[in-house]
Amino acid sequence: MSTGSTSTARRGPGAKSAERRRSIIDAAHAVFAERGYNAGSFQAVADRVGMSQTGLLHYFPAKSDLLLAVLQRRDEVSTAAVDPTAGFAESVLLKARANERIPGVIQLYAVLSGESTTEGHPARAYFTTRFDRLRTGTAAELRALQADGLLGGSVDVAIAAASLAALWDGLQLQWLLAPGEVDVVACLRDYLDGLFARP
Amino acid sequence: MSTGSTSTARRGPGAKSAERRRSIIDAAHAVFAERGYNAGSFQAVADRVGMSQTGLLHYFPAKSDLLLAVLQRRDEVSTAAVDPTAGFAESVLLKARANERIPGVIQLYAVLSGESTTEGHPARAYFTTRFDRLRTGTAAELRALQADGLLGGSVDVAIAAASLAALWDGLQLQWLLAPGEVDVVACLRDYLDGLFARP
């Protein structure tokens, strides 16, 4: 594998390695978005980024490392897709709409999240942490809206935070199996409308 | 494998085979409920039902056949656990409570449902059909409640049916990863209370 020594000498091996790692994750994100979990392979990712499989393994020794990096990238892409001035409900719906354009990555998420519930699975820590943060972060956002009088005082923010994340995941699962039958955005909007209509 | 010829002669091979099949599924349900997806094995099921692995393979040639049969048995067990006079919301909560006692089977459900979203997966037809039926069946139940004036006319029953199934699945996933943090029944009750409070 060529390591681009001129660039390495100028900026240090750390920067070069991080950049390479980032381009691999971008390529993997694109490969899985296009082809889905089954057809997305190490070889396809290596081809796209112009390196050998051996070179790829240097950066991601286990396939699970690369898959988790793709999910983390999805979180970044998803957040970047949202207008920072959008309100809480609007942000959720914008992210859900963005996910509809990357079914292969959502499929990857569905497979790994389900498998992560088994003991010792390499994705277990990622999903445990992800859901912890989601519940805590969403509850804090909802609590702030309550303090501003924008969300009714009867809403239990901890229950709403867990429920919103759960609903979203479950809807995406049904949508992957029957894209023409399940409208993720319409269902999320219905839940949020109901939540914000509570006293 | 002994086929119990006396009984076979009396009732025909079909009845004997169906009974044997049923006892294997019961054993597998118990094994997965106790041990979970990783530790539940063909050997453990064969031991429990007192037959060889080869004998077991005669009834269930692929592990996925047996796993899907366990999920179907779960649906039966879950339905049987509910008082037939219970109302809609109460039935949901009783089934959710029953699921808390079989985390290993719920783990099996989480793994297979996620994997079923990939092309060609042996569980794909099961889950596609399951969700179709759940959405249609629940929507019909909710429509009947609307007709009887027990559910507000503003509720979109198709959206509510998909959302309830989705919420439940997503909550169970979070609960498997953090049993002490997520109260599936409390979250489902909160959703149903909100739904039945709508005008």
Side-chain angles (χ1 to χ4, degrees), chain A residues 16 39 45 47 66 68 76 109 116 127 129 139 160 171 193 196:
Chain A
K16 180 68 188 168
V45 175
D47 288 349
L66 181 56
L68 288 175
E76 295 164 22
Y109 176 91
S116 79
F127 281 103
T129 304
L171 288 169
D193 284 350
F196 280 87

Side-chain angles (χ1 to χ4, degrees), chain B residues 21 24 42 53-67:
Chain B
R21 204 179 142 85
I24 294 168
F42 251 46
Q53 272 210 63
T54 312
L56 193 61
L57 287 166
H58 172 70
Y59 290 92
F60 296 94
K63 188 173 183 185
S64 59
D65 299 330
L66 181 56
L67 298 181

Side-chain angles (χ1 to χ4, degrees), chain A residues 3 5 29 39 44 50 71 81 83 87 100 127 130 158-159 181 188 193:
Chain A
T3 54
S5 60
H29 188 278
L71 293 185
D83 177 350
E100 289 179 352
F127 281 103
R130 177 188 155 76
I159 283 183
E181 301 290 321
L188 286 173
D193 284 350

Side-chain angles (χ1 to χ4, degrees), chain A residues 35-39 106-111 113-121 124 127-128 131-132 135 154 156 158-178 181-182 186-188 190-191 193-195 198, chain B residues 35-39 106-111 113-121 124 127-128 131-132 135 154 156 158-178 181-182 186-188 190-191 193-195 198:
Chain A
R35 307 186 191 185
Y37 184 76
N38 278 351
I106 304 307
Q107 195 186 62
L108 179 66
Y109 176 91
V111 173
S113 63
E115 291 179 347
S116 79
T117 63
T118 60
E119 288 71 26
H121 192 278
R124 192 172 173 99
F127 281 103
T128 303
F131 285 123
D132 273 350
R135 287 191 296 264
S154 74
D156 182 318
I159 283 183
S163 297
L164 178 61
L167 176 66
W168 198 339
D169 285 351
L171 288 169
Q172 288 190 156
L173 178 70
Q174 289 184 47
W175 167 74
L176 287 167
L177 289 166
E181 301 290 321
V182 179
C187 290
L188 286 173
D190 180 78
Y191 175 75
D193 284 350
L195 194 69
R198 293 193 192 183
Chain B
R35 307 186 190 183
Y37 185 77
N38 278 352
I106 304 307
Q107 194 187 62
L108 179 65
Y109 175 92
V111 173
S113 63
E115 290 179 348
S116 78
T117 63
T118 60
E119 288 72 26
H121 192 278
R124 191 173 174 97
F127 281 103
T128 304
F131 285 124
D132 273 351
R135 286 192 297 264
S154 75
D156 182 318
I159 283 182
S163 296
L164 178 60
L167 177 65
W168 198 339
D169 284 351
L171 288 169
Q172 289 188 156
L173 179 69
Q174 289 184 47
W175 168 72
L176 287 168
L177 289 166
E181 300 290 320
V182 179
C187 290
L188 287 173
D190 180 78
Y191 176 74
D193 284 350
L195 195 69
R198 292 193 193 182

Side-chain angles (χ1 to χ4, degrees), chain A residues 92-156:
Chain A
V92 168
L93 301 178
L94 284 169
K95 288 181 187 177
R97 190 69 80 197
N99 283 352
E100 289 179 352
R101 293 191 290 271
I102 47 169
V105 176
I106 304 307
Q107 195 186 62
L108 179 66
Y109 176 91
V111 173
L112 290 184
S113 63
E115 291 179 347
S116 79
T117 63
T118 60
E119 288 71 26
H121 192 278
R124 192 172 173 99
Y126 169 80
F127 281 103
T128 303
T129 304
R130 177 188 155 76
F131 285 123
D132 273 350
R133 284 192 188 148
L134 258 181
R135 287 191 296 264
T136 309
T138 303
E141 282 188 81
L142 293 175
R143 201 171 291 114
L145 291 170
Q146 268 183 334
D148 291 345
L150 298 169
L151 177 67
S154 74
V155 172
D156 182 318

